[in-house]
Amino acid sequence: RVIDCRGLIVCPGLIDMHVHLREPGEEWKETIETGTKAAVAGGFTAVACMPNTKPPNDNAEVTRFILKKAEEAGLARVYPVACITRGQKGESLTEFGELKEAGAVALSDDGYPVSDAGLMRLALEYAKNFDLPIISHSEELALSKGGHVNEGLASAKLGLKGIPAEGEAIAIFREAMLAKLTGTPIHIAHVSTKEGVEIIRRAKAEGIPVTAETAPHYFSLTEEATFGYQTNAKVNPPLRSEADREAIIKALADGTLDVIATDHAPHSPLEKLCEFEKAACGLIGLETALPLALRLVREKVISLSRLVELMSCNPAKILGVPGGSLKPGEVADVTVFDPEKRWVVDEKALHSKSKNTPFLGWEMQGQTVITIVSGKIVFSRL
Ligand code: DOR
């Protein structure tokens, strides 16, 4: 079949290394099928799914279940991320070898920081033997617990307990020191602050093996999106200040941040149409990530090839999975998108089962046209 791609961009399949697919256990929010449908509609040919499912992905059976569901859906590739600690309780390590054998590509207690530095050190040393990257949810719970929004403008305006930027920086600093101590790479999830970026920049300059990601909401929005108690803008880490947003953008451009990942976190209306303090944290991101990243290209902050590095090549390298580059003769994962196409985010048109995005009603520019996984068209707007 010949596809006329004149005026379109053809690039290696996008890889989102941080999504929550909610299966098993919370299928009312998302399933592996609906989540991967949203992924391919957003141009992602692969996603890495976080282990805070119910039960958590802390054993080979859950890992295999996820892979089976993904195969049945037949849409995007799904790379399971398994727990670092049993039940994500931060007390004892999981069986890394068994998890790897079952198909896990990385380890993380995303959603729950591993508070014990000694246990994290052990995890890094142990993970090295299995070549499993560790993804750190860098949060200092002693400072963030009970917080709902950024500490600063938002906490003052809304009269709610805040989550200080310094807590993220403290946690990232610890991870950088542990990576140095163990000589094992560590990947920092969802960086949201200027202070966090500065620690990563210094660590990289020293040659410490640290990589890091941010999410489109951290470079597109500030804490002001939560004003008026907008629960769709409640997320952890929280939306930050304008200075933080600018620092994140600079870090994407200068190589301090390596990856744009969505932290796609579906929640049902029940969990969002409620009091701000009771609302769940998280927002969906798979179908808006590409146009939000393309805004940075249009604003000439990053080049189009840098976008492909951030959303395809680097996640593939960090996770050690195929993709990122098209080698002659290989059956490819390919994303084709129209960088000019304008569209409005309308909940009825979203493929995700949940609709919790602060971008509802926004006009976007740039849209996926065709998504090809392993040579097969899995999504097409043609
Ligand atoms: O806002 C968030 N939502 N942050 C996390 O770390 C977890 C996620 C979720 O699972 O809903």
Side-chain angles (χ1 to χ4, degrees):
R1 175 175 171 192
V2 177
I3 304 167
D4 184 354
C5 289
R6 278 174 292 186
L8 306 178
I9 305 286
V10 180
C11 72
L14 304 180
I15 302 174
D16 187 346
M17 66 178 293
H18 193 137
V19 304
H20 297 270
L21 295 180
R22 306 298 190 211
E23 198 176 357
E26 292 178 310
E27 290 83 355
W28 66 90
K29 300 183 192 220
E30 194 81 286
T31 63
I32 288 168
E33 188 179 359
T34 60
T36 51
K37 184 82 199 171
V40 296
F44 292 99
T45 54
V47 294
C49 61
M50 288 297 154
N52 61 337
T53 47
K54 298 202 169 115
N57 182 11
D58 67 357
N59 65 79
E61 202 177 323
V62 177
T63 305
R64 281 194 293 264
F65 169 85
I66 292 167
L67 286 169
K68 183 167 159 278
K69 287 280 171 184
E71 198 185 326
E72 282 166 17
L75 296 162
R77 295 178 197 267
V78 174
Y79 297 123
V81 177
C83 298
I84 299 171
T85 70
R86 280 177 214 280
Q88 298 195 303
K89 290 190 188 337
E91 289 162 7
S92 59
L93 299 182
T94 52
E95 297 289 341
F96 294 2
E98 277 175 29
L99 289 161
K100 167 111 184 185
E101 205 177 293
V105 302
L107 299 162
S108 180
D109 272 5
D110 187 68
Y112 307 88
V114 178
S115 295
D116 181 332
L119 193 63
M120 193 54 140
R121 174 186 182 169
L122 211 61
L124 284 162
E125 279 164 354
Y126 188 33
K128 194 167 11 182
N129 303 329
F130 300 99
D131 215 8
L132 278 169
I134 294 241
I135 302 171
S136 165
H137 173 110
S138 298
E139 174 177 354
E140 177 46 67
L141 265 186
L143 294 173
S144 62
K145 214 169 175 186
H148 296 282
V149 288
N150 188 39
E151 182 162 333
L153 269 190
S155 58
K157 174 105 176 165
L158 302 176
L160 296 171
K161 185 171 165 23
I163 299 173
E166 288 77 1
E168 176 173 290
I170 290 169
I172 295 175
F173 184 75
R174 186 197 83 171
E175 305 309 47
M177 289 301 107
L178 292 176
K180 185 177 175 199
L181 185 61
T182 59
T184 309
I186 195 158
H187 177 78
I188 312 292
H190 41 58
V191 178
S192 66
T193 61
K194 183 168 177 276
E195 289 81 357
V197 160
E198 276 161 11
I199 307 274
I200 294 163
R201 191 175 285 125
R202 270 173 40 203
K204 284 190 166 185
E206 267 191 53
I208 298 172
V210 180
T211 55
E213 73 191 35
T214 190
H217 40 281
Y218 299 118
F219 62 75
S220 307
L221 297 172
T222 67
E223 58 194 321
E224 292 191 24
T226 61
F227 290 6
Y229 302 94
Q230 297 299 320
T231 55
N232 278 346
K234 183 178 179 184
V235 57
N236 185 32
L239 298 173
R240 303 284 190 179
S241 69
E242 177 59 19
D244 290 310
R245 192 183 76 89
E246 285 164 14
I248 294 286
I249 291 175
K250 186 166 174 287
L252 284 169
D254 74 12
T256 304
L257 292 173
D258 306 276
V259 170
I260 296 175
T262 66
D263 199 2
H264 179 82
H267 293 294
S268 71
L270 261 183
E271 289 140 322
K272 283 292 194 180
L273 291 173
C274 61
E275 209 183 314
F276 195 91
E277 287 173 76
K278 296 213 175 94
C281 286
L283 51 98
I284 57 167
L286 282 164
E287 295 173 78
T288 48
L290 177 59
L292 291 171
L294 281 168
R295 255 165 50 131
L296 301 180
V297 176
R298 276 198 308 282
E299 287 163 7
K300 302 211 181 325
V301 185
I302 59 169
S303 65
L304 194 54
S305 60
R306 176 71 181 148
L307 179 148
V308 175
E309 238 170 62
L310 290 162
M311 298 182 77
S312 179
C313 314
N314 289 349
K317 263 187 233 157
I318 293 163
L319 293 175
V321 299
S325 63
L326 302 176
K327 297 196 192 88
E330 270 184 13
V331 181
D333 290 355
V334 180
T335 300
V336 181
F337 63 91
D338 179 343
E340 305 300 332
K341 173 82 180 169
R342 288 174 191 271
W343 59 285
V344 175
V345 183
D346 169 6
E347 66 176 273
K348 286 193 275 314
L350 292 173
H351 297 78
S352 173
K353 199 180 258 197
S354 290
K355 314 294 172 189
N356 54 305
T357 163
F359 299 109
L360 285 176
W362 277 45
E363 192 189 58
M364 297 281 168
Q365 195 174 341
Q367 193 176 48
T368 310
V369 178
I370 297 175
T371 310
I372 300 172
V373 174
S374 196
K376 183 175 150 226
I377 295 178
V378 288
F379 180 81
S380 172
R381 279 198 173 87
L382 285 182

